Amino acid sequence: MAPHKKKPTQKRDDESGDESPKTNADNLGIRISSAKTSKKLLNNKKRKAVIESFSPSPNGSGNSSSTSLASTSKTSTSVESASSTKTQSSILSFFTSTSSVDGPVEATPIICKPKKRGKHSAEFSGACRNLFDIPSTSTHTTVMKSSQSASLNSSTTPTNSPSTREPPFLKEFKLIILTVLGQVGHVDDLFLFSEDDLEYVNCFKTLSVSAQQLYVRLFQRKHAWLCPAKLKYPEIAADLTPVISELQAVNFIQGEEELNDITEALNLLPDPAVKSLAKSLLRVSASKTSKTELISALVKHSKRPRSVFSNVNMQEVVMKKVCGLLGSWIRLGDEPRTVFTRIHLLYSLSLEDDEKPISGKTPMERLSEIKKRNKGSVSFPRYTIFRTNKIFRTKEDLIRYEDTMKCEQDIKQAMATCDFKSALQIQEVETRRLETILRDEDISSHSTSLAPFLRPFTAWGVYTRLLYMGVEIHQQRGSYDDAVAGLSGLLEQTEYGVESRGRWWDRLAFHLYYHLEKPNEALDAILKGLADSFVKPGYRLALQQKAQMILKSRRNKTLYNRRSEFTVDAIREPPKVTIQEKELPSTPWGNGGQVAVRLALKHYRRSGFEEGVHGEGTVFTTLISLLFWDIIFKSGIPDVFSYPCQSAPLDFGYSSFYESRKEAFDDKLQELGEADNAKLQTLLETSWKEHEGDRCVGVKWTLFRDIDHAKGLLACLGSRVLCGIASLILKDQRHTRAGMPDLTVWSTRTNKFKIVVVKGAGDCKLSCKQMCWMDDLLRLGVKTEVCHIEASRKRLHETGNQLTSDSSQ
């Protein structure tokens, strides 16, 4: 149901007859047909009364007035449609009522440069910005010429008073909407929303500021039924009842009358109420029965007829009794919430963690992150948005991706609670649905036409991800035949998930040998994996070692004849040092691991390395990102920056990251290779001061005490070692971020440094990725070693305040 739109009562001065001044829609060159009004809502006198009771006062202290909305409808009626499409109609109803821009628009940290800049794109962006009263100095304002700014200054009367002050979380909620629907370079995203979708956004604008705040607060919470009496937001209103009524009037909030699921309703009741209801309906004692069991019994009881002589629906009887006990409950309306969630999903596509590039963030996480940025604790780099391809060509594409995201979250939640049966059911249903969709050749061709870093958002991308989730579920359930079948299917294609092929081959060989006891097939899988060009050094070494272990197995001596088919890459063995400590944690994980690292740092301080950090690969990614910042956020590369607030380009972690910037990276590596320590430190300090605090993948600002601390390490590393490590990381960021040694220690007095892997008790073996890193470091001439922390042979005994020791057996 579309949101309520108040019927106009009088004309504004600027809409008298056919000679009315041009609106922003006219400036944009858009003409639309007359707006359709929902008769059902207009005839609802009760809801109309609520809307009128919350209309802003004439002095402009509230939000947009009813007359401004009436103006939109009236102006829309006087213009004839040019393309007769619903999307254009929606655009006008969304953007006609705007306010003016005060003063020139300032330059911004984020510059939009779309592939084809429309004639009126700047005016369009300004109109969108003013729609929600975002100040002209907003961090997402678009650079405009003075003439364009002047044309905006002559637009319609402001819908809100400049004195209206909104909390940051509400401004940022509106900012996200503007970015997805109205910023220059993203106007084409409007076609992903229908006329009814945009009407909900337009309706949100007409709400009072208090209603907007309450809606956003509830939107940030889990989508569940809430008791209004327990809602406390004194900063919004002391009494939330009228605010809730305003939101209910436009279907933004549902009441308990729309609660139809009996299980859901029973779960809202307190324990005593459930027991009382069970006692009256089931005629049983509920004193020693849990609430879950009682609810299950009541639901089962509701599905039975009351008697063989009665046609009464028992479920209605039970539901009526439950509603009588419930009282007042509310929940956000499904339709408007879906629209705003979809907007947030689009906005957060580019904000995924590089470890999990396709797991969307919840609206609360998105707003929380923006809120931190607004307070100054989080800021994002400057870059140019340049989009040439549409990931979602239709609204159906977006909905398909959104539905799959929900299924993924459900599967993860089920797996987190070890409910693998439910997880498998969800996975199988969604997989079958996608298999039907993927029979469309047009969908498949569109997916393969996109760059690899955009494919995870397509139907084939999510299908591939779901297949591997099925493999993980089968592994947990012990269904190794199904796991092997799933891995074999994934490895038959080379278009999706290619960066994970090394892991897939490794798991396939593992299951074939250990669980299915098929050593020959395991060796065949290893051979195919070693021949796969997508398999990176870490997994390549793991496959080689696995092959040697299988060949040496005594269970099947015939395998010995296949040893000529396999070789092992030469890996340098790093030096080892053993430290004996009196007190040593029994486990290398968790706090024990941290203790082992502190003991190692203490040892190297005694050895002359007065400085040291435990940062693993972050030590070098921080230095490298700062020195290569301008290239990482380089302009002119299509589709790697899609929205503001990205901490890295979308191709970060893919092979194209280096390939598309190869010339710039090589030139920078040559420049740094020829630089002396003084120049390296100057370059680092300049970048540090310019970008300090900006959120960038791989940069940890708190790792070093200050810039001088980082400069001290940089001077010890020198240009040759720095460039060697940078080349390895930049060419394969995804697979080099793991396995880096734990500690980096150095001395500014002697200009010496050492990179150390720390191994505590029970953690003596290097992983394959650690072996590859140590080999690369040794090849570069870096002093690196493995530090084993072992328990001392002397056991301590406490006697009063003195410690004595004796030899242990």
Side-chain angles (χ1 to χ4, degrees), residues 271-284:
D271 291 4
V274 174
K275 291 182 178 181
S276 175
L277 187 63
K279 186 176 181 180
S280 63
L281 291 176
L282 303 179
R283 310 287 183 181
V284 295

Side-chain angles (χ1 to χ4, degrees), residues 592-602 613-614 742-743 758 789:
Q594 295 296 325
V595 172
V597 169
R598 288 199 296 270
L599 292 173
L601 280 171
K602 182 179 179 181
V613 290
H614 174 213
D742 306 279
L743 292 182
V758 179
I789 311 271

Side-chain angles (χ1 to χ4, degrees), residues 494-553:
T494 57
E495 296 290 343
Y496 304 93
V498 294
E499 304 295 334
S500 301
R501 291 180 67 83
R503 182 173 75 251
W504 295 347
W505 283 118
D506 185 63
R507 297 308 300 170
L508 178 60
F510 179 82
H511 291 316
L512 286 171
Y513 179 68
Y514 283 102
H515 297 129
L516 302 185
E517 297 184 353
K518 297 179 179 180
N520 275 298
E521 293 185 23
L523 290 175
D524 292 339
I526 290 173
L527 281 175
K528 293 178 181 178
L530 293 173
D532 192 334
S533 60
F534 293 108
V535 176
K536 301 301 180 181
Y539 284 111
R540 180 179 176 82
L541 180 61
L543 290 172
Q544 290 174 340
Q545 291 183 348
K546 195 173 268 80
Q548 295 301 315
M549 182 190 61
I550 295 173
L551 290 170
K552 293 177 182 178
S553 173

Side-chain angles (χ1 to χ4, degrees), residues 218 269 351 401 419 428 446 449 543 564 655 703 715 782 784:
L218 298 181
L269 291 175
L351 285 159
Y401 177 74
D419 187 3
E428 288 177 342
H446 170 65
S449 68
L543 290 172
S564 61
S655 58
L703 185 65
V782 175
T784 182

